[in-house]
Amino acid sequence: MINYTKLPEFNKDFKLLLKRFKSLETDFEYMKKYTIETFYEKGEPTTAFVLIEGFCDENYTSNKVRKFSCRTLKGRGAKSGIRVVFVWEEEKRLITFVEIYFKGDKANEDRERLQDFVSKINNEPY
């Protein structure tokens, strides 16, 4: 079973986007179940998310969901422009959601936020 957690900054990002994209909450749960869990639990390959270079090591991988279907953005399918950044810790079976954003608002993830989180992981004893 996969455990999920969210950074406080992620929750803030999510609330702001939820005001604009009313289906986001349901779409997010769907993405967790049919993209993340399908990959990590069933081992089915996916092109929905990619590794973020420079933010991975033997204990964790940093990923960005690039194919996120948002029903509020009709007609765009998985190319909605919503991006979700998360870190997968295999040993703990833990996914931490770091950031969610709309590509129309900003081009790339907040690498500083991701670096801060990854630094905290590296300082934790395993």
Side-chain angles (χ1 to χ4, degrees):
M1 186 172 123
I2 295 176
N3 298 304
Y4 295 98
T5 186
K6 300 171 185 169
L7 295 184
E9 297 92 340
F10 177 91
N11 289 330
K12 184 179 174 187
D13 297 340
F14 194 89
K15 283 181 186 176
L16 289 173
L17 286 178
L18 188 57
K19 290 177 185 176
R20 292 170 54 197
F21 308 114
K22 300 298 182 197
S23 66
L24 188 62
E25 206 158 13
T26 306
D27 298 333
F28 184 74
E29 291 302 317
Y30 187 87
M31 181 270 306
K32 283 172 33 181
K33 183 175 181 179
Y34 293 104
T35 302
I36 293 175
E37 290 178 11
T38 299
F39 180 76
Y40 289 114
E41 292 288 333
K42 297 179 182 174
E44 294 180 18
T46 185
T47 58
F49 57 87
V50 295
L51 293 176
I52 301 174
E53 300 276 332
F55 293 96
C56 300
D57 108 350
E58 63 214 31
N59 298 319
Y60 62 86
T61 59
S62 300
N63 306 275
K64 179 178 6 181
V65 176
R66 295 176 62 200
K67 294 183 180 177
F68 184 98
S69 186
C70 182
R71 288 177 298 141
T72 303
L73 294 162
K74 292 181 181 168
R76 295 177 111 179
K79 296 181 180 181
S80 67
I82 303 283
R83 300 290 190 260
V84 180
V85 177
F86 69 91
V87 174
W88 165 249
E89 295 178 74
E90 176 76 38
E91 190 174 297
K92 296 179 181 179
R93 310 258 333 132
L94 175 67
I95 286 185
T96 303
F97 292 104
V98 177
E99 182 178 16
I100 186 169
Y101 63 96
F102 179 59
K103 195 150 170 61
D105 297 337
K106 61 190 252 182
N108 290 307
E109 67 276 356
D110 184 342
R111 295 179 81 79
E112 190 174 312
R113 182 189 302 182
L114 186 56
Q115 181 61 52
D116 288 347
F117 179 70
V118 166
S119 296
K120 289 176 186 171
I121 292 174
N122 288 330
N123 291 332
E124 272 187 20
Y126 272 88

